[in-house]
Amino acid sequence: MQYIIDSAHLSKIKKCVEFYPIDGVTTNPTIISKEKTDFLKLITDIKDVIGPDKMFHIQTTSSECNMIVEEAKRLREIIGENFYIKIPISADGLKATDICKKEGINVTMTAIFTQQQALIGAKAGADYVAPYINRLDSIVSDGVHVVEEIVNLFKIHDIKSKVLAASFKNIEQIHKTALVGGHAVTINPDLFENLVYHPLTLYAIDDFEKDWEGVYGNKKILDLIK
């Protein structure tokens, strides 16, 4: 399972990179616009924070094939290694995906809501397909089940594309996505904190500290072995 940050908030990205085993960052026009800052500086700052070894997915703002490809080429020049152009599923998007792959540009096909959208996106060459879990749940569908069927379709047809599930509101959705074989999840920084939180964990840590202090006071291990 790959854990990816779904944010363009620089300080939150820095914190996630420092403390969590993250594999990259995804953004989209909505996420970028919330920062209300210079676009070029923002994406280069994010790249500097995550470094060359982590993925950076940036979504196109164009809907016409040739313009999508031009954006992808220019962004790759700026970002360098491990750049992925996010392309919403459409006829132009499929054509642009095919061209980008021939140009050696990584592609994440996004705004996926059906299994067949994912399959045809993968057939066009997308490295990742991104189904929206909570948005599916919100329209009385089952986002996790959609992920499960996409994963199974890829296995049946020996497709190497990966499922990058997006649009999460709680940890249970992330957990169930992992159980059905989702390859990656992109989640906002607040959910990263919830992934490691449990009240019983805090109680256990408190008990460890009380038992230790009952014998050794405020001294730590390093104080006792120096």
Side-chain angles (χ1 to χ4, degrees), residues 52-117:
D53 297 329
K54 292 179 172 59
M55 297 180 288
F56 193 3
H57 303 243
I58 302 174
Q59 188 166 318
T60 178
T61 56
S62 296
S63 58
E64 191 273 325
C65 173
N66 290 336
M67 293 305 298
I68 293 172
V69 173
E70 286 304 309
E71 285 188 3
K73 289 179 179 179
R74 186 69 184 98
L75 285 168
R76 183 179 61 173
E77 291 174 359
I78 296 167
I79 301 302
E81 295 298 319
N82 275 326
F83 164 70
Y84 290 75
I85 184 69
K86 287 178 66 179
I87 304 175
I89 181 76
S90 69
D92 274 270
L94 292 169
K95 182 179 179 181
T97 296
D98 179 63
I99 295 171
C100 284
K101 291 305 298 178
K102 289 175 180 175
E103 293 283 343
I105 302 172
N106 301 317
V107 175
T108 296
M109 183 141 279
T110 192
I112 299 291
F113 287 92
T114 73
Q115 299 86 331
Q116 284 301 312
Q117 285 180 325

Side-chain angles (χ1 to χ4, degrees), residues 94 97-98 116-126 129 154 159 161:
L94 292 169
T97 296
D98 179 63
Q116 284 301 312
Q117 285 180 325
L119 187 60
I120 197 168
K123 178 70 175 177
V129 296
F154 287 5
I159 290 173
S161 301

Side-chain angles (χ1 to χ4, degrees), residues 10 35 39 63-64 83 98 131 134 165 196 200 206-207 225:
L10 204 58
E35 301 308 308
F39 170 73
S63 58
E64 191 273 325
F83 164 70
D98 179 63
N134 195 69
V196 298
L200 293 180
D206 286 342
D207 287 342
I225 63 175

Side-chain angles (χ1 to χ4, degrees), residues 9-29:
H9 193 290
L10 204 58
S11 64
K12 291 182 178 181
I13 293 172
K14 287 180 180 178
K15 182 178 180 180
C16 287
V17 170
E18 180 179 0
F19 290 101
Y20 302 114
I22 67 105
D23 296 280
V25 169
T26 63
T27 64
N28 60 42

Side-chain angles (χ1 to χ4, degrees), residues 2-216:
Q2 294 175 320
Y3 291 101
I4 302 174
I5 308 165
D6 198 28
S7 176
H9 193 290
L10 204 58
S11 64
K12 291 182 178 181
I13 293 172
K14 287 180 180 178
K15 182 178 180 180
C16 287
V17 170
E18 180 179 0
F19 290 101
Y20 302 114
I22 67 105
D23 296 280
V25 169
T26 63
T27 64
N28 60 42
T30 299
I31 289 172
I32 293 286
S33 65
K34 286 179 179 178
E35 301 308 308
K36 295 181 171 61
T37 190
D38 180 79
F39 170 73
L40 181 57
K41 185 178 188 306
L42 180 61
I43 63 172
T44 53
D45 285 347
I46 292 172
K47 182 62 178 179
D48 288 342
V49 168
I50 65 176
D53 297 329
K54 292 179 172 59
M55 297 180 288
F56 193 3
H57 303 243
I58 302 174
Q59 188 166 318
T60 178
T61 56
S62 296
S63 58
E64 191 273 325
C65 173
N66 290 336
M67 293 305 298
I68 293 172
V69 173
E70 286 304 309
E71 285 188 3
K73 289 179 179 179
R74 186 69 184 98
L75 285 168
R76 183 179 61 173
E77 291 174 359
I78 296 167
I79 301 302
E81 295 298 319
N82 275 326
F83 164 70
Y84 290 75
I85 184 69
K86 287 178 66 179
I87 304 175
I89 181 76
S90 69
D92 274 270
L94 292 169
K95 182 179 179 181
T97 296
D98 179 63
I99 295 171
C100 284
K101 291 305 298 178
K102 289 175 180 175
E103 293 283 343
I105 302 172
N106 301 317
V107 175
T108 296
M109 183 141 279
T110 192
I112 299 291
F113 287 92
T114 73
Q115 299 86 331
Q116 284 301 312
Q117 285 180 325
L119 187 60
I120 197 168
K123 178 70 175 177
D127 300 276
Y128 288 90
V129 296
Y132 288 179
I133 305 305
N134 195 69
R135 291 195 187 186
L136 281 164
D137 289 353
S138 297
I139 57 171
V140 198
S141 186
D142 186 340
V144 171
H145 181 65
V146 171
V147 168
E148 183 177 21
E149 291 201 339
I150 294 170
V151 170
N152 288 336
L153 280 171
F154 287 5
K155 288 178 180 177
I156 290 168
H157 297 284
D158 193 27
I159 290 173
K160 304 304 180 185
S161 301
K162 294 180 179 179
V163 180
L164 170 55
S167 176
F168 291 101
K169 291 299 181 184
N170 57 64
I171 301 303
E172 183 69 6
Q173 291 171 327
I174 297 170
H175 173 61
K176 288 180 177 178
T177 296
L179 282 176
V180 300
H183 305 103
V185 292
T186 181
I187 57 181
N188 70 59
D190 293 336
L191 280 179
F192 270 97
E193 295 184 5
N194 291 338
L195 279 173
V196 298
Y197 171 79
H198 196 285
L200 293 180
T201 300
L202 299 181
Y203 296 150
I205 293 171
D206 286 342
D207 287 342
F208 295 147
E209 291 178 352
K210 289 175 183 177
D211 292 341
W212 176 271
E213 290 173 359
V215 176
Y216 301 104

